[in-house]
Amino acid sequence: MKKIVIISSLFFLLMVSCKKKELNFTLKGTVTDHTFGGGLNGAVLNLEEISSNGKNLGVVAEATISSDGNYELTFKRNSSLKYILTVTKPNYFNIFEEIPFGDFSTEEDLVKNYSSKAKAWVKLTFNNNAPILESDFLHYTKQEGKQDCEECCPKTEQEVTGITGKTIYCLNDGNTTYSYSYLSNSTPTPAFKTIVTPAFDTVEIITNY
């Protein structure tokens, strides 16, 4: 009888141990500063869970990134649809990724490495210094600069018209080049403007036509 009790206890402990292992996922990796190097110190990483019916269950794990850039999240395994990872830090571009449930395994850690760039801004000022008609125009097209972000200026040709000036702010990667070509009714052949946008700062390009 004593032997049966011992065997039953060992079996129970084994089952509990296996169950705990099955109920946990681990996500780890690094978040680095692409502009200055090293870890993205002070950035906040959140992992949200989306249930199988599409409901957002909120943040299941979070971490604050240190100077070495390393992070490790261990959280309960549920039968979910996916997870949403975000990394945020003021004056840096946000990181966003949807991670399918199937990418995780209880047998090994999931490794995800990320990098973010510092923000910079360029102020584009267009001055019509010799206004004649409301039909005065300037066409400009971005040649170098960040694409596909909420505050990024488009790469397609843009138009400035009228007898007054215009000012536009564009977001760019810090410590990189921003440039555009332009022509106007007073500048019939293409000309170019270029500038380096320092991280966390705003620089101005003035174009007179």
Side-chain angles (χ1 to χ4, degrees), residues 1-11:
M1 182 68 179
K2 186 175 181 181
K3 185 176 181 180
I4 294 174
V5 171
I6 293 173
I7 293 173
S8 298
S9 298
L10 289 173
F11 180 75

Side-chain angles (χ1 to χ4, degrees), residues 170-182:
C170 301
L171 191 59
N172 199 38
D173 292 325
N175 301 343
T176 64
T177 301
Y178 192 98
S179 66
Y180 61 83
S181 61
Y182 69 97

Side-chain angles (χ1 to χ4, degrees), residues 126-132 136 163-165 206-209:
F126 303 98
N127 295 321
N128 189 345
N129 285 345
I132 300 175
D136 288 350
I163 61 175
T164 58
I206 300 175
T207 303
N208 298 314
Y209 68 99

Side-chain angles (χ1 to χ4, degrees), residues 2-137:
K2 186 175 181 181
K3 185 176 181 180
I4 294 174
V5 171
I6 293 173
I7 293 173
S8 298
S9 298
L10 289 173
F11 180 75
F12 175 76
L13 290 173
L14 180 62
M15 290 297 293
V16 171
S17 177
C18 291
K19 186 177 181 180
K20 285 183 178 179
K21 184 178 180 182
E22 292 174 354
L23 288 177
N24 289 287
F25 285 145
T26 296
L27 174 66
K28 67 180 183 180
T30 59
V31 181
T32 54
D33 184 330
H34 188 278
T35 305
F36 297 102
L40 193 61
N41 191 31
V44 176
L45 185 153
N46 284 328
L47 190 70
E48 297 176 77
E49 182 178 2
I50 307 300
S51 68
S52 54
N53 62 5
K55 181 180 179 181
N56 190 321
L57 301 178
V59 176
V60 295
E62 61 183 334
T64 300
I65 307 303
S66 60
S67 57
D68 63 10
N70 294 326
Y71 74 91
E72 183 171 328
L73 307 175
T74 299
F75 52 96
K76 185 179 179 180
R77 174 195 180 276
N78 293 314
S79 296
S80 300
L81 178 65
K82 61 185 176 182
Y83 295 87
I84 297 176
L85 180 142
T86 57
V87 180
T88 57
K89 181 178 180 178
N91 292 325
Y92 278 82
F93 288 98
N94 293 341
I95 297 169
F96 176 92
E97 185 182 14
E98 293 187 354
I99 308 175
F101 175 84
D103 286 4
F104 288 94
S105 168
T106 57
E107 302 300 321
E108 59 182 330
D109 300 341
L110 178 61
V111 178
K112 291 278 188 177
N113 298 321
Y114 302 96
S115 183
S116 180
K117 297 178 181 179
K119 290 181 178 181
W121 292 264
V122 57
K123 178 182 178 182
L124 308 181
T125 300
F126 303 98
N127 295 321
N128 189 345
N129 285 345
I132 300 175
L133 302 169
E134 286 288 344
S135 59
D136 288 350
F137 72 88

